[in-house]
Amino acid sequence: MAIRVRLTLWYGGILALLLLLFGGTLYGILQGSLQAGVDRTLEETAEKVQSSVRRQIAVTPALNWAEVVTIPSLDVFAAPDVFVQVRDPQANLAVKSANLAGQELPGLSAVDWGPVLSGTVDLRTVEIGTVRLRLRSEPVLSQGRPVAVLQVAVSLRAMDDALHRLLALLLGGGSFGLVLAVLGGAFLAQQALSPIARVTETARRIAATEDLGERLTRPAVQDEVGQLVTTLNEMLDRLQRLFQGQQRFIADVSHELRTPLTAIRGNLEVLQRGARTDPALLAESLDDIDREVVRLSRMVADLLALARAEAGMRLERRPVELDRLLLETFREARHLARGVAVQLTGEDQAQVLGDADRLKQLLLNLVDNAFKYTPAGGTVSLALSRCGDWACLSVADTGTGIPEDELGYIFDRYYRGQSDRRRGGMGLGLSIAHWIAEEHGGRIEVESKVGEGTTFTVWLPLLEESAAVANHQSPIANHQSSIINRQS
Ligand code: ADP
């Protein structure tokens, strides 16, 4: 059932209930007060008759019922809607007011007659033909003896008429008001919910056309629906950015994968064309192919690491000898260096708990960057030292350096420096290195100076500390900045 219909039904139901409660209470109160008024009239009339009788008794103390009847005229006490009548103790009609004409007020049953004779006032509602009456019966006493029963009645026609009119007003006015309120409520609900219908329609169109550039129209008022539209538009902005980022990423990845493949194919063609017989050319081509294959493997490893990070996979945790790992990296790096000198400037022994393949990937990413951004003739230095409870791996180059305003972004995924946009690269290497370091309970720092070079330092908790670091934050991780720029 539509929200609009549900809202209207609830609204109508609650209003009907309230009207019913209000009408019922009003009717009850009015009926009670009218009846109390009638009872008061009965009591006052009866009292007038009784005091007349009492005056008579003062003259004739032993008054009997026949003498009560001689009271001048009951008509003195009667009024158009007030009737008076006297019965003898045997319940026979003695005298009545003239306005009763051919009728008489009904007697009481034997059961009720007794108590009235012994002093109880009887009040009840009776009917004569179509007329409802309120009837009061009470004894007339002389010297403590009941000598007659006085009956006074008031017609309830006026009260019934007033109550009927009120009921008609409540039912008619209430129903009319209810219909009006339900229609108004339905209209308001329709007005309030129509922007949602428009939002749904636009959202459907976006889904159908896959046009993430389209936005929902903001309603004039910033109410709940307006806020919903703003939030959805913000979500669409984000989705569009993510989607565009992903498209750019796919384009970059295919481009990056194609470049080494083209280089490999070129070198193979050179070999096919006869370079096999030229030892120098053969060595150079094989060297090129080897380098491109290493680059390809690194890219695939990066993509795999990215997929793992996205899937929230944890790394293996085994003891790893960092000095051996660094030596391996150093040997591989020498193959990759083209005109750049590679040196090992320090190598303490250090063991950490972690994943050897990922740690090597981290180092290779840093070394590969160092080569990429260091022109021929420069130097790349690798070092491992123990700094308290930490192992410090550093990769320093004498390359281009990183501008200060880019330092805050280089660890972001897909970020590539302004000057490197044409140089190639997927902007993944450092973000993956950062992820690997963090997964090992460590961190990466960078120091750079444009034109002089860059040093990346990886801090990893030593094996003895690894277990503790897994549970507690490292003291170094508490240091404020991971980026130290030495630009002067
Ligand atoms: P890419 O694959 O594009 O190199 P990275 O995540 O490895 O992506 O690096 C991000 C950016 O950081 C690079 O585009 C480059 O601008 C900068 N960068 C990384 N390492 C170095 C370095 N050794 N020297 C100078 N700039 C670097």
Side-chain angles (χ1 to χ4, degrees):
M1 196 190 288
I3 294 183
R4 186 167 50 87
V5 179
R6 275 211 307 266
L7 271 179
T8 310
L9 284 182
W10 269 104
Y11 176 62
I14 289 173
L15 192 70
L17 203 73
L18 282 177
L19 279 176
L20 218 65
L21 270 175
F22 170 75
T25 314
L26 188 70
Y27 188 88
I29 289 174
L30 191 75
Q31 190 183 35
S33 89
L34 286 177
Q35 192 153 312
V38 167
D39 288 352
R40 218 174 306 119
T41 308
L42 284 175
E43 193 183 345
E44 281 165 11
T45 310
E47 181 48 38
K48 279 181 199 160
V49 178
Q50 291 278 20
S51 68
S52 162
V53 172
R54 275 196 297 275
R55 277 198 301 278
Q56 187 69 31
I57 288 170
V59 184
T60 326
L63 193 76
N64 62 34
W65 73 268
E67 285 155 341
V68 173
V69 177
T70 62
I71 295 168
S73 167
L74 289 181
D75 292 336
V76 178
F77 310 104
D81 268 347
V82 182
F83 311 96
V84 188
Q85 167 181 292
V86 174
R87 287 181 183 273
D88 68 14
Q90 283 71 46
N92 302 314
L93 175 65
V95 64
K96 60 181 182 178
S97 56
N99 59 358
L100 275 168
Q103 310 272 11
E104 70 179 74
L105 298 176
L108 302 179
S109 66
V111 179
D112 299 321
W113 192 247
V116 170
L117 280 182
S118 53
T120 310
V121 175
D122 183 278
L123 259 179
R124 63 182 62 202
T125 302
V126 294
E127 279 181 28
I128 301 181
T130 54
V131 184
R132 286 189 343 120
L133 294 167
R134 187 81 173 147
L135 176 66
R136 180 185 169 105
S137 309
E138 62 181 61
V140 177
L141 301 174
S142 169
Q143 294 178 328
R145 276 183 312 111
V147 288
V149 170
L150 170 67
Q151 290 191 298
V152 186
V154 169
S155 162
L156 293 178
R157 194 185 296 126
M159 181 181 108
D160 285 349
D161 280 356
L163 287 175
H164 281 142
R165 270 200 302 279
L166 177 72
L167 195 66
L169 193 77
L170 285 175
L171 285 178
S175 320
F176 180 70
L178 188 66
V179 170
L180 214 67
V182 166
L183 287 179
F187 174 74
L188 283 180
Q190 162 79 24
Q191 286 289 100
L193 293 174
S194 65
I196 292 190
R198 281 202 295 279
V199 167
T200 313
E201 196 187 313
T202 318
R204 244 189 230 130
R205 202 168 50 242
I206 291 173
T209 57
E210 292 181 5
D211 177 11
L212 286 177
E214 192 168 345
R215 291 291 172 271
L216 305 167
T217 324
R218 282 174 63 167
V221 194
Q222 253 310 346
D223 52 9
E224 286 85 344
V225 180
Q227 281 163 14
L228 174 73
V229 168
T230 310
T231 313
L232 283 175
N233 277 339
E234 281 168 8
M235 191 185 79
L236 281 172
D237 282 346
R238 207 168 141 62
L239 275 179
Q240 192 183 20
R241 268 203 307 278
L242 279 174
F243 188 62
Q244 284 170 348
Q246 226 167 35
Q247 279 180 327
R248 210 173 39 240
F249 173 67
I250 291 169
D252 286 354
V253 168
S254 17
H255 174 77
E256 286 303 307
L257 290 177
R258 224 180 23 226
T259 314
L261 286 175
T262 313
I264 292 171
R265 252 177 72 190
N267 278 298
L268 286 175
E269 274 171 21
V270 171
L271 288 178
Q272 274 166 351
R273 268 195 252 111
R276 274 173 289 189
T277 51
D278 179 343
L281 208 56
L282 177 66
E284 193 185 327
S285 295
L286 287 179
D287 222 32
D288 275 357
I289 291 174
D290 184 40
R291 199 170 25 253
E292 295 305 336
V293 167
V294 168
R295 198 168 150 205
L296 264 180
S297 318
R298 200 170 71 78
M299 274 183 207
V300 173
D302 275 356
L303 289 173
L304 211 69
L306 182 73
R308 280 185 176 154
E310 294 279 318
M313 270 174 68
R314 310 300 303 185
L315 299 183
E316 267 184 36
R317 293 178 74 78
R318 291 210 185 111
V320 180
E321 285 172 19
L322 277 186
D323 39 321
R324 273 179 54 182
L325 201 75
L326 186 71
L327 207 62
E328 259 177 57
T329 314
F330 173 66
R331 288 198 186 115
E332 283 181 31
R334 279 193 306 190
H335 287 296
L336 301 174
R338 273 209 274 195
V340 176
V342 194
Q343 58 185 24
L344 205 55
T345 51
E347 205 193 6
D348 285 354
Q349 279 194 336
Q351 240 193 0
V352 296
L353 201 60
D355 185 324
D357 288 342
R358 296 288 77 78
L359 287 172
K360 182 140 172 221
Q361 184 178 6
L362 182 163
L363 274 176
L364 279 173
N365 282 1
L366 295 181
V367 170
D368 192 49
N369 275 349
F371 288 144
K372 203 151 76 178
Y373 300 103
T374 306
T379 309
V380 171
S381 314
L382 308 183
L384 168 64
S385 56
R386 296 172 67 110
C387 317
D389 299 330
W390 298 81
C392 298
L393 279 163
S394 70
V395 177
D397 64 56
T398 56
T400 54
I402 306 169
E404 190 180 2
D405 56 345
E406 291 187 9
L407 278 174
Y409 305 104
I410 55 172
F411 292 103
D412 290 354
R413 190 172 295 172
Y414 310 134
Y415 178 80
R416 296 198 323 237
Q418 296 292 336
S419 53
D420 303 301
R421 300 262 154 95
R422 275 175 290 120
R423 204 193 286 241
M426 298 186 287
L428 284 180
L430 284 184
S431 74
I432 286 168
H434 185 256
W435 170 69
I436 295 172
E438 282 205 328
E439 283 294 299
H440 283 82
R443 54 196 258 108
I444 303 185
E445 290 178 354
V446 54
E447 297 176 16
S448 188
K449 190 172 176 192
V450 173
E452 286 191 14
T454 307
T455 302
F456 284 95
T457 310
V458 184
W459 296 79
L460 296 170
L462 287 168
L463 180 57
E464 312 85 70
E465 298 301 315
S466 297
V469 171
N471 298 325
H472 304 100
Q473 250 216 315
S474 75
I476 287 183
N478 286 332
H479 286 182
Q480 263 227 315
S481 164
S482 69
I483 296 143
I484 302 162
N485 184 16
R486 276 201 318 215
Q487 299 224 345
S488 50

